[in-house]
Amino acid sequence: MYDLSGKRVYVAGHRGMVGGAIVRQLESRGIEVLTAPREVDLREQAAVREWFGANRPDVVIVAAAKVGGILANDSYPAEFLYDNLMIEANLIEASHRTDVGKLLFLGSSCIYPKLAPQPIPEDALLTGPLEPTNEWYAIAKIAGIKLCQAYRRQYGRDFISAMPTNLYGPGDNFDLQSSHVLPALIRKAHEAKLEGADSITIWGSGTPRREFLHVDDLAAGCLFLLENYSGEEHVNLGSGTDLTINELVETVCKVVGFEGAIERDTSKPDGTPRKLMDGSKIAAMGWKPTIGLEEGIADAYRWFLDNVSA
Ligand code: GFB
């Protein structure tokens, strides 16, 4: 439907895990990638307008966001709401002004109600209250979906949205305070193994269920949607399988080679009880992920060893 070859693609957020994976995949296909230097603060409307005016991309991928795990979301509600609103509003509006031919906005599975039906279909959006630990981020991401829809309706812009599930992989944030669960577990298990510790401590009860997608699968799904989808409704991007945090801990410990005990700090939040997305919409278009969880964790662990713990 939309051929990316020969297009100049601006990846906003190229320094992050998601943007980095998308850049790798575009470059491997020989597609020209544009990135903005660090000095262009995407929260500043004038700076964003100026960069778009000077660079005029054909395609825009909105992978720039203030992101973090459950504790970061809960601790910094102002930045998670304000920064994300500003970043997406500036990028989407500047794309409209400069006649960008196609835009992909990336959201998050936390846009859905806390107690949404499982697996969560796209039309569960705005049918119930959000999970309180991340409602600030979720509200910003819902606004981004709506901005894409509004510019599509009013101006006929080909702006689409994808909602990824919990992501992990090379380039992830391994800081124990601000990271998501998977990189945190890799770090905890690795350091405990090196120190010969008897146990690691995980947050919450371990019973919440989560779905994980390797970031290279996500990047492939994003390019697939850019080329094959044009519609108002956002599209779920997941792996199709979930597991409990306790099961995830077992898998991470197996990959890392840590055999000690697991302690639970129940003063930390569990968050939403389950978050498995219904991937049938993108599956019907002909896309599916290819990286299994254990294989994907081994890849993320290799990246951690080479880039973080080294
Ligand atoms: O990945 P995570 O931080 O975020 O936590 P969410 C997932 C689950 O893992 C929660 C548990 O039940 C945590 O309590 N957990 C166990 C840990 N040990 C740890 C640990 O050491 N670190 C962390 N971080 N968690 C995020 C949202 O929710 O999901 C974001 O806050 C975003 O907005 C993202 O949507 C995809 O899956 O709960």
Side-chain angles (χ1 to χ4, degrees), residues 29-51:
R29 283 183 49 184
I31 295 167
E32 187 181 351
V33 175
L34 305 181
T35 57
R38 201 177 281 279
E39 303 76 60
V40 179
D41 185 338
L42 299 178
R43 296 167 300 183
E44 299 290 339
Q45 187 185 57
V48 174
R49 281 187 181 170
E50 192 186 326
W51 189 87

Side-chain angles (χ1 to χ4, degrees), residues 183-202:
L185 295 178
I186 288 178
R187 176 167 221 145
K188 285 177 182 179
H190 173 75
E191 289 178 354
K193 182 178 79 171
L194 290 193
E195 290 157 12
D198 296 336
S199 65
I200 58 169
T201 302
I202 67 160

Side-chain angles (χ1 to χ4, degrees), residues 10 25 30-31 39 42 48 52 56 74 115 126 138 144 174 195 200 202 205-206 231 237 253 255 259-260 276:
Y10 169 39
Q25 229 154 90
I31 295 167
E39 303 76 60
L42 299 178
V48 174
F52 269 76
R56 305 197 79 87
D74 211 18
L115 301 176
L126 294 173
F174 286 84
E195 290 157 12
I200 58 169
I202 67 160
S205 65
L237 256 175
C253 288
V255 170
E259 290 175 347
L276 173 64

Side-chain angles (χ1 to χ4, degrees), residues 68-81:
I70 192 164
L71 196 64
N73 268 264
D74 211 18
S75 310
Y76 307 107
E79 280 81 17
F80 272 83
L81 182 54

